[in-house]
């Protein structure tokens, strides 16, 4: 076809055609409706709206935290990164169930603001901030020691470590680690632990980290067998959170453009972690990986290698032995 524009003689109702959509070719030379007519037709618009509604309904999955009546009164939970996004939504849910909730945050001021918001919305005043910089092993160690000294028990741990001894004495207890479906793109190279052979391009380091999250969680689950403490990892889904501020401007624009329709909110992204932490269905389940719809799925083959998991865990334990 020589042209992407179909036109009529100008003596037919003096109709002047609109240009066809870029990259779209009309199906035949005698086509009497150009592509923009299709896009702007009522049927197209209604179909688009229905598709959008269907996508939004499917984002939540089959399990709704509001339908789970598990209460956490008398229980203590720690949630890291809880001043915003998924972490805050998880903490909000725990507080609403009556738990004593500790928000482990790098910024005390932002953590305090989140704590006040959680208190106001849940009516639970037993919400507290604990300062920690997860990029510093010294800071993590200080928090762990503080928790061991101050808390009598710890029943739920979301995305934290080094206090499992306290959890053993508090059993039954649950550890939940937030990972990502991106772990399937990750690689295991133990030189990465020393900052070597890393490619800082888009999500490469993130992917490796999320793979190690699952590997170590599975090995932790194996080592905790018989203690009454479970450990599972979850994929929260593709979530609209402040994390995107670290991406290039063009990626952020694209993410924000399509995110409102297809991506989860922070509240929706928190569901799979809440499911592992409080649901009756997940009671006693350990060493598993849950998808964003709360279903059990198999992680990548590397994450299912028990010998690799034991080695990975031992190396991490040696590197963090000063804790």
């Amino acid at each position: 076809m020589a042209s992407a524009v179909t036109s009529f003689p100008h003596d037919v109702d003096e109709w002047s055609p609109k240009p066809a959509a870029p990259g779209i070719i009309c199906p035949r030379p005698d086509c009497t409706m150009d592509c923009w007519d299709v896009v702007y037709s009522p049927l197209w618009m209604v179909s688009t709206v229905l598709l959008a509604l269907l996508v939004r309904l499917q984002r939540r999955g089959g399990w709704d935290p509001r339908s789970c009546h598990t209460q956490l009164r008398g229980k203590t939970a720690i949630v890291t990164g809880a001043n915003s996004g998924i972490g805050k939504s998880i903490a909000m849910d725990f507080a609403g169930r009556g738990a004593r909730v500790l928000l482990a945050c790098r910024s005390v001021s932002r953590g305090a603001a989140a704590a006040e918001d959680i208190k106001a919305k849940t009516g639970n005043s037993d919400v507290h901030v604990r300062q920690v910089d997860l990029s510093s092993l010294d800071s993590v160690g200080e928090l762990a020691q503080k928790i061991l000294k101050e808390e009598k028990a710890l029943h739920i741990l979301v995305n934290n470590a080094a206090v499992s001894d306290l959890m053993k004495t508090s059993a039954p207890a649950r550890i939940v680690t937030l990972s990502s479906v991106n772990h399937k793109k990750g690689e295991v190279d133990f030189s990465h632990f020393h900052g070597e052979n890393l490619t800082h391009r888009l999500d490469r380091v993130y992917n490796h980290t999320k793979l190690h999250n699952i590997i170590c969680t599975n090995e932790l689950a194996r080592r905790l067998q018989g203690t009454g403490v479970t450990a599972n990892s979850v994929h929260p889904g593709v979530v609209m959170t402040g994390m995107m501020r670290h991406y290039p401007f063009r990626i952020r624009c694209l993410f924000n453009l399509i995110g409102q329709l297809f991506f989860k909110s922070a509240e929706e992204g928190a569901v799979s972690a809440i499911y592992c932490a409080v649901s009756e269905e997940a009671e006693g389940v350990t060493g598993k990986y849950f998808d964003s719809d709360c279903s059990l799925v198999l992680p990548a083959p590397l994450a299912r290698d028990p010998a690799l998991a034991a080695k990975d865990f031992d190396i991490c334990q040696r590197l963090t032995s000063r804790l």
Side-chain angles (χ1 to χ4, degrees):
M1 184 182 298
S3 173
V5 178
T6 301
S7 60
F8 293 105
H10 287 284
D11 59 352
V12 181
D13 297 329
E14 292 298 319
W15 182 82
S16 179
K18 297 186 288 291
I24 300 178
I25 307 298
C26 290
R28 61 182 187 274
D30 61 342
C31 176
T32 59
M33 178 185 293
D34 75 17
C35 298
W36 281 116
D37 288 331
V38 174
V39 172
Y40 289 127
S41 70
L43 179 61
W44 178 276
M45 292 182 179
V46 171
S47 299
T48 301
V49 171
L50 289 176
L51 177 61
L53 292 173
L54 179 62
V55 169
R56 289 192 66 86
L57 287 173
Q58 290 182 331
R59 291 192 330 192
R60 284 188 173 272
W63 189 82
D64 188 345
R66 294 171 297 185
S67 67
C68 176
H69 303 297
T70 299
Q71 291 299 307
L72 299 176
R73 292 185 182 88
K75 306 289 187 181
T76 299
I78 295 179
V79 183
T80 63
N83 59 276
S84 64
I86 295 175
K88 182 180 177 183
S89 295
I90 295 171
M92 185 82 72
D93 180 272
F94 294 168
R97 298 176 191 274
R100 171 179 170 81
V101 183
L102 307 181
L103 313 182
C105 308
R106 181 172 58 182
S107 169
V108 174
S109 61
R110 293 176 64 190
E116 291 305 314
D117 187 41
I118 292 172
K119 291 177 185 178
K121 290 180 178 177
T122 65
N124 184 347
S125 61
D126 202 4
V127 180
H128 311 274
V129 179
R130 296 291 182 266
Q131 200 279 332
V132 63
D133 181 355
L134 295 177
S135 67
S136 166
L137 290 179
D138 288 335
S139 180
V140 173
E142 290 171 6
L143 173 64
Q145 293 304 315
K146 188 178 182 66
I147 296 300
L148 289 169
K149 291 178 180 178
E150 295 181 351
E151 301 301 325
K152 297 179 180 179
L154 179 57
H155 304 92
I156 300 175
L157 177 63
V158 177
N159 217 20
N160 204 341
V163 287
S164 59
D165 286 344
L166 181 59
M167 297 198 77
K168 290 178 184 177
T169 64
S170 308
R174 305 187 192 188
I175 298 172
V176 183
T177 301
L178 271 73
S179 182
S180 169
V181 70
N182 276 28
H183 81 274
K184 295 179 179 180
K185 302 176 184 178
E187 302 171 358
V188 174
D189 182 341
F190 293 117
S191 68
H192 291 169
F193 291 169
H194 301 283
E196 302 169 358
N197 302 316
L198 287 170
T199 302
H200 296 277
R201 185 173 70 248
L202 205 55
D203 288 336
R204 293 292 295 277
V205 175
Y206 175 85
N207 298 342
H208 303 332
T209 300
K210 293 306 178 181
L211 174 59
H212 284 289
N213 284 161
I214 299 177
I215 292 173
C216 286
T217 299
N218 290 348
E219 178 62 14
L220 178 61
R222 188 189 69 80
R223 298 187 184 204
L224 289 173
Q225 285 181 352
T227 65
V229 181
T230 62
N232 295 292
S233 50
V234 303
H235 167 49
V238 183
V239 183
M240 292 286 290
T241 69
M243 181 181 174
M244 287 306 298
R245 66 182 181 274
H246 301 294
Y247 283 72
F249 177 74
R250 287 180 296 177
I251 299 295
R252 295 201 308 272
C253 288
L254 179 62
F255 189 90
N256 290 327
L257 180 64
I258 65 177
Q260 297 299 327
L261 175 61
F262 294 103
F263 298 163
K264 292 187 174 187
S265 65
E267 292 77 13
E268 291 166 339
V271 169
S272 55
I274 296 170
Y275 175 85
C276 288
V278 305
S279 73
E280 293 183 14
E281 295 91 328
E283 184 176 355
V285 178
T286 190
K288 302 300 182 182
Y289 171 68
F290 290 82
D291 206 349
S292 59
D293 62 356
C294 304
S295 62
L296 271 173
V297 294
L298 285 175
L302 282 175
R304 308 198 304 269
D305 184 333
L308 176 62
K311 182 178 181 180
D312 197 318
F313 197 95
D314 286 338
I315 292 175
C316 289
Q317 199 167 43
R318 287 200 300 270
L319 290 172
T320 59
S321 60
R322 56 180 168 163
L323 296 179

